[in-house]
């Protein structure tokens, strides 16, 4: 393992402190926890938004804390869901009395821990509701599995629900718009190389020089199929085919996110985006706004994911709403 | 069996988790994210530390403490699942300071109920339940048939072990392993394995 770390046990602590030192005017940490909140929290008369999950997806989720997006992010150990007591600490710190919405990615551990945190908040009389993001078309959504995973599309939920909350909406309205985003967002990713969880010290799977893994999640877990590597255009087509098969995006306007998994150069992300643009244009799908960069990574995994969000007037306005979250650009 | 014996068994469960943490994490790496053993060891290390510093005379309080420490420190899905099991047990044994073999059936029944409720999983989903449910049914049957204490415990562990073996043959339907679909076949479930290890530790410390 070759990493810029001191001790595998301290990666979370040192990462959080480094992030706080880089953003002293926007973020603060609740003492004794791994919870990062907006420095101005709680914000009076505003529904609060809390998200989180395992660490290793930076800038998600703490990088999306700030006015117009999240009020709090709960940072678990690397790729491990945070515990209910930590989520509850976040809820207590950001809730202004108008209620809190939890934005949870669909992983069994995350769902269970956030649900338990909601139970704890209920007992204290704090109003909490939650939505579960499941944008990844690579895995089946059926009664036989835990459902589709939540991946980079989660960032669109943060952005749009965050804008809605900032405009003074009630908890039920913020939840409704979050669910609208979830229902209209689909993603799929691929990897050229695995990542190494610092505490484990070796990769979860090995790819040969000429192989790629299609349909990976964001935890270094294997994907749905292994194939010989193809050109950027062919890879993008394969991912988009799966996404477009799932929702009919024809004649609609979309937001596009081309998300790097941690160690793919921007050059390659732009090459991928070039192909995304051409394919969508050919199909008559209009691109309203494009985001290219690292939003939801998987440590140093090399690869990327594509996310499409079908927009209407409300979603467009909320997507454009200003945010001071340090990493949403 | 008095509270201190129960405490000793739980400490030994912690030691077994520590000894097996790499093994459990390797099982997890094949189908999940590779941290099950490390997380379980971490959670139980907090339990051991607490037990070394505090005395308990009520089983309800003892089990509740274990529940809270697992929930707050294990993370992932295992924390809420094992934590919920201990929480359910703690409610039942509040105010008691002694356990006997017939309580084992209740303990397994409550654990199974709690874990099913929290994880929304059933038998053959390739989870903890595939070890826990056969173990519970074995204990229930043996107690009805007035088997000896040793036999009850031996059979319980054998049933759990068989359940673990069975997880190699089935497709995961819960947790991250479910995303592998058919590719999860051939791999032993780490959660069922840790449950087996816990049950075996209980047996080894009573017999």
């Amino acid at each position: 393992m070759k990493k810029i770390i001191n001790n595998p046990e301290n990666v979370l602590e040192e990462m959080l402190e480094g992030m706080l030192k880089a953003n002293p005017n926007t973020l603060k940490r609740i003492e004794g926890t791994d919870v990062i909140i907006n420095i101005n929290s709680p914000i009076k008369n505003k529904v609060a938004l809390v998200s989180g999950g395992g660490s290793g997806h930076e800038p998600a989720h703490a990088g999306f804390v700030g006015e117009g997006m999240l009020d709090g992010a709960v940072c678990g150990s690397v790729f491990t869901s945070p515990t209910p007591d930590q989520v509850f600490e976040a809820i207590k710190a950001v809730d202004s009395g108008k209620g809190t919405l939890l934005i949870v990615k669909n992983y069994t551990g995350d769902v269970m821990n956030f649900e338990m945190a909601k139970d704890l908040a209920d007992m204290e009389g704090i109003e909490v509701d939650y939505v579960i993001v499941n944008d990844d078309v690579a895995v089946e959504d059926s009664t036989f599995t835990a459902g589709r995973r939540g991946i980079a599309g989660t960032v669109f939920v943060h952005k749009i629900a965050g804008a809605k909350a900032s405009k003074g909406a009630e908890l039920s309205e913020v939840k409704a718009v979050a669910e609208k985003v979830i229902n209209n967002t689909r993603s799929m990713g691929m990897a050229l190389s695995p990542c190494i969880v610092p505490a484990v010290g070796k990769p979860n799977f090995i790819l040969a020089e000429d192989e790629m893994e299609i349909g990976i999640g964001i935890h270094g877990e294997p994907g749905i199929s292994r194939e010989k590597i193809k050109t950027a255009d062919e890879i993008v087509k394969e991912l988009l085919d799966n996404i477009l098969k799932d929702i009919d995006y024809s004649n609609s306007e979309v937001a596009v996110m081309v998300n790097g998994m941690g160690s793919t150069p921007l050059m390659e992300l732009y090459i991928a985006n070039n192909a995304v643009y051409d394919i969508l244009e050919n199909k008559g799908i209009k691109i309203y706004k494009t985001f290219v960069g690292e939003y939801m990574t998987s440590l140093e995994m090399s690869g990327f994911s594509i996310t499409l969000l079908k927009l209407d007037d409300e979603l467009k306005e909320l997507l454009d709403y200003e945010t001071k979250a340090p990493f949403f650009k | 069996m008095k509270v201190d014996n129960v405490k000793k068994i739980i400490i030994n469960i912690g030691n077994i988790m520590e000894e097996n943490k790499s093994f459990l994490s390797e099982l997890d790496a094949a189908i999940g994210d590779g941290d099950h053993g490390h997380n379980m060891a971490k959670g139980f290390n907090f339990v051991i530390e607490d037990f070394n510093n505090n005395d308990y005379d009520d089983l309800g309080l003892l089990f509740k403490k274990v529940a809270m420490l697992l929930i707050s420190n294990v993370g992932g899905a295992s924390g809420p699942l094992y934590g919920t099991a201990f929480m359910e047990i703690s409610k039942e044994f509040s105010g008691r300071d002694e356990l006997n073999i017939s309580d084992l059936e209740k303990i397994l029944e409550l654990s199974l109920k709690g874990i099913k409720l929290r994880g929304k999983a059933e038998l053959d989903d390739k989870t903890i339940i595939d070890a826990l449910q056969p173990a519970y049914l074995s204990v229930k049957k043996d107690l009805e048939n007035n088997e000896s204490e040793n036999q009850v415990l031996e059979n319980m562990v054998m049933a759990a072990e068989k359940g673990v073996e069975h997880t190699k043959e089935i497709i995961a339907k819960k947790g991250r392993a479910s995303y592998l679909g058919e590719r999860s076949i051939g791999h032993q479930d780490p959660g069922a394995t840790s449950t087996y290890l816990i049950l075996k530790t209980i047996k080894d410390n009573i017999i």
Side-chain angles (χ1 to χ4, degrees):
Chain A
M1 176 171 58
K2 207 167 158 188
K3 282 180 186 288
I4 302 165
I5 59 171
N6 295 304
N7 178 336
E9 281 181 19
N10 297 339
V11 292
L12 177 58
E13 179 63 28
E14 292 171 13
M15 184 264 295
L16 289 177
E17 286 305 310
M19 196 178 212
L20 288 163
K21 283 167 185 155
N23 299 282
N25 301 319
T26 12
L27 307 179
K28 70 174 177 191
R29 180 174 183 177
I30 307 177
E31 219 175 302
T33 72
D34 299 325
V35 176
I36 301 289
I37 60 173
N38 182 340
I39 201 157
N40 299 318
S41 283
I43 300 166
K44 253 194 193 154
N45 242 332
K46 190 186 90 67
V47 169
L49 293 183
V50 170
S51 191
S55 294
H57 308 301
E58 288 63 37
H61 302 82
F64 303 125
V65 171
E67 271 168 65
M69 276 182 92
L70 300 177
D71 296 85
V74 198
C75 311
S77 304
V78 175
F79 294 169
T80 300
S81 165
T83 53
D85 53 319
Q86 298 255 322
V87 181
F88 184 44
E89 289 299 324
I91 294 169
K92 283 193 289 188
V94 300
D95 190 89
S96 72
K98 215 177 168 181
T100 296
L101 184 72
L102 308 178
I103 299 171
V104 189
K105 297 192 300 310
N106 193 26
Y107 287 95
T108 314
D110 286 321
V111 174
M112 275 189 242
N113 282 290
F114 278 81
E115 268 180 8
M116 289 185 87
K118 181 191 181 305
D119 292 348
L120 294 173
D122 285 345
M123 284 193 276
E124 302 255 321
I126 303 174
E127 197 186 355
V128 173
D129 210 337
Y130 64 97
V131 292
I132 294 175
V133 187
N134 59 353
D135 53 317
D136 186 0
V137 299
V139 285
E140 254 183 272
D141 182 20
S142 77
T143 51
F144 299 107
T145 69
R148 280 197 302 244
R149 297 178 290 218
I151 53 173
T154 311
V155 181
F156 280 143
V157 185
H158 294 165
K159 176 67 192 72
I160 287 171
K164 187 79 182 176
S166 289
K167 290 173 68 127
E170 299 300 323
L171 180 57
S172 61
E173 297 168 318
V174 178
K175 182 182 179 177
V177 86
E179 283 183 331
K180 182 152 98 177
V181 177
I182 293 167
N183 291 335
N184 287 288
T185 302
R186 295 292 184 272
S187 305
M188 187 156 163
M190 60 81 63
L192 296 175
S193 71
C195 65
I196 299 175
V197 175
V200 179
K202 56 177 193 219
N204 248 5
F205 62 94
I206 304 287
L207 284 172
E209 200 39 47
D210 62 344
E211 282 179 335
M212 62 176 180
E213 186 92 6
I214 292 284
I216 41 104
I218 50 170
H219 298 100
E221 67 263 51
I224 53 165
S225 66
R226 191 160 294 184
E227 301 173 13
K228 291 282 172 210
I229 188 152
K230 298 175 182 168
T231 66
D233 286 354
E234 288 168 322
I235 295 168
V236 167
K237 185 177 179 307
E238 181 169 354
L239 297 180
L240 273 181
D241 279 348
N242 280 292
I243 292 171
L244 297 174
K245 210 162 57 187
D246 205 79
I247 289 195
D248 184 9
Y249 284 93
S250 52
N251 303 318
S252 51
E253 267 186 283
V254 296
V256 172
M257 180 179 284
V258 176
N259 169 59
M261 303 303 296
S263 70
T264 291
L266 263 176
M267 174 192 247
E268 292 169 33
L269 296 181
Y270 282 127
I271 291 171
N273 186 57
N274 188 44
V276 172
Y277 184 96
D278 290 346
I279 292 173
L280 294 184
E281 199 190 33
N282 266 331
K283 292 188 184 290
I285 299 169
K286 195 175 161 214
I287 298 169
Y288 178 71
K289 217 167 189 173
T290 302
F291 301 85
V292 177
E294 302 205 314
Y295 293 87
M296 184 74 76
T297 59
S298 183
L299 291 174
E300 81 281 28
M301 184 184 261
S302 132
F304 72 107
S305 62
I306 302 171
T307 300
L308 298 188
L309 162 62
K310 189 196 274 200
L311 296 165
D312 61 12
D313 289 342
E314 183 193 25
L315 296 186
K316 274 198 263 185
E317 190 200 333
L318 295 170
L319 186 63
D320 290 341
Y321 192 86
E322 192 196 356
T323 175
K324 289 183 182 154
F327 291 92
F328 189 84
K329 296 194 175 72
Chain B
M1 186 194 308
K2 296 296 249 180
V3 184
D4 275 348
N5 295 77
V6 177
K7 206 168 147 179
K8 210 185 96 203
I9 293 179
I10 295 173
I11 288 175
N12 280 328
I13 290 173
N15 294 335
I16 294 292
M17 289 300 133
E18 183 64 35
E19 278 169 32
N20 286 280
K21 71 178 178 187
S22 297
F23 166 60
L24 289 170
S25 287
E26 271 165 34
L27 290 179
D28 191 23
I31 53 174
D33 54 356
D35 59 5
H36 182 61
H38 287 80
N39 286 343
M40 290 294 282
K42 185 177 144 209
F44 274 99
N45 280 334
F46 279 94
V47 174
I48 292 175
E49 197 189 313
D50 178 85
F51 280 11
N52 285 335
N53 296 316
N54 294 304
D55 283 321
Y56 294 90
D57 47 19
D58 181 325
L59 283 167
L61 293 177
L62 177 104
F63 287 131
K64 190 168 173 206
K65 189 73 192 185
V66 177
M68 287 316 295
L69 288 170
L70 294 184
I71 290 167
S72 311
N73 294 297
V74 175
S78 317
L81 290 171
Y82 282 115
T84 302
F86 276 99
M87 194 63 91
E88 291 296 317
I89 298 168
S90 79
K91 290 181 204 158
E92 177 76 18
F93 292 96
S94 172
R96 296 256 311 263
D97 63 358
E98 216 171 341
L99 290 178
N100 57 45
I101 188 75
S102 64
D103 292 319
L104 184 61
E105 180 187 338
K106 196 75 199 167
I107 286 174
L108 296 178
E109 184 190 348
L110 291 168
S111 304
L112 187 63
K113 192 183 117 201
I115 288 173
K116 278 186 169 177
L117 198 75
R118 181 65 63 196
K120 300 172 186 78
E122 289 298 328
L123 197 67
D124 281 348
D125 283 352
K126 197 165 179 137
T127 69
I128 291 172
I129 291 166
D130 291 310
L132 187 56
Q133 185 158 316
Y136 160 64
L137 292 175
S138 164
V139 169
K140 188 172 150 65
K141 189 177 118 246
D142 284 352
L143 286 175
E144 276 166 11
N145 294 336
N146 291 317
E147 295 286 354
S148 71
E149 188 171 319
N150 284 5
Q151 198 60 54
V152 171
L153 292 163
E154 298 272 5
N155 289 345
M156 168 183 84
V157 172
M158 260 164 44
E161 193 173 11
K162 238 175 98 184
V164 171
E165 282 302 309
H166 178 58
T167 63
K168 291 180 187 167
E169 299 157 8
I170 52 183
I171 298 179
K173 290 178 190 157
K174 293 285 164 189
R176 284 189 198 159
S178 71
Y179 300 127
L180 287 180
E182 299 214 342
R183 288 210 275 175
S184 65
I185 292 178
H187 297 286
Q188 174 177 338
D189 182 64
T193 309
S194 58
T195 292
Y196 158 75
L197 289 171
I198 290 171
L199 296 173
K200 185 170 180 301
T201 309
I202 294 173
K203 185 209 81 174
D204 291 347
N205 282 274
I206 298 178
I207 296 181

